[in-house]
Amino acid sequence: GNYVNGNNVGAALYLQRTTSASKITDCNFNNNINGRGVVYVDGTISIINSNFTNNVAKDTSNYNSGNCIYGGTIVVEACNFVNNSGVKPVIYTAAALTVSDSNFINNTNDYASGLGGAILSTSSIKIIKSNFTNNGAGSGAAIYATGAVTISDSNFTYNSARSNGGV
């Protein structure tokens, strides 16, 4: 795994000014220790058929960031997020997020009032045919969203929040 000290971003990838043509496909991001984001995106990205496993977020200076993916407009398709932990949700974005055919399993946002064990979004999100199992956070065990939310054909099982609901 990779290690980024302090509050730096992009333990594995720091992507600036990406466009809708930008893609990450068939990749594994395992055992990275990050400040804010294993993958940092300043722009738009599609992440397809990739795995994020056992990544740890340690930066306590900015709680509105993501452990595995942090940044702009994000499309996640057929990805697995398993056993990620620390003081951040798995994905954070303030722009549009679409997740399809993906699994979020055993992820925790350990910060006392952490928002979203799997996803924290302050914009619109669309979740399609995805599974959220055994995720946890202070509020919104699986998803904490403040924008428009559309969820279809998805499963939420054994997610746990200390307050304010499981989704």
Side-chain angles (χ1 to χ4, degrees):
N2 298 300
Y3 175 75
V4 173
N5 191 24
N7 64 359
N8 295 314
V9 295
L13 299 172
Y14 184 97
L15 308 171
Q16 266 193 318
R17 294 185 284 281
T18 56
T19 68
S20 60
S22 300
K23 293 182 181 178
I24 297 171
T25 305
D26 299 322
C27 292
N28 294 302
F29 299 90
N30 304 319
N31 302 308
N32 296 285
I33 299 172
N34 67 85
R36 293 183 278 166
V38 172
V39 176
Y40 172 77
V41 179
D42 175 15
T44 301
I45 192 81
S46 292
I47 302 174
I48 303 163
N49 198 39
S50 295
N51 300 297
F52 293 79
T53 307
N54 297 322
N55 297 291
V56 179
K58 293 194 171 210
D59 174 28
T60 58
S61 69
N62 182 346
Y63 296 102
N64 286 338
S65 58
N67 179 347
C68 296
I69 305 169
Y70 169 40
T73 301
I74 302 165
V75 174
V76 173
E77 182 181 321
C79 290
N80 296 299
F81 299 87
V82 181
N83 296 329
N84 299 290
S85 63
V87 294
K88 311 273 187 258
V90 171
I91 298 173
Y92 169 79
T93 183
L97 170 65
T98 300
V99 175
S100 64
D101 300 300
S102 295
N103 298 298
F104 295 80
I105 302 167
N106 296 329
N107 300 292
T108 57
N109 181 340
D110 297 327
Y111 181 60
S113 60
L115 306 176
I119 296 171
L120 168 58
S121 174
T122 58
S123 186
S124 63
I125 64 173
K126 185 185 295 186
I127 309 291
I128 306 158
K129 295 182 182 176
S130 294
N131 299 299
F132 295 81
T133 305
N134 200 36
N135 299 288
S139 294
I143 299 170
Y144 188 97
T146 59
V149 177
T150 303
I151 300 173
S152 63
D153 298 317
S154 296
N155 299 299
F156 294 83
T157 308
Y158 299 116
N159 298 290
S160 177
R162 289 180 287 282
S163 64
N164 298 323
V167 178

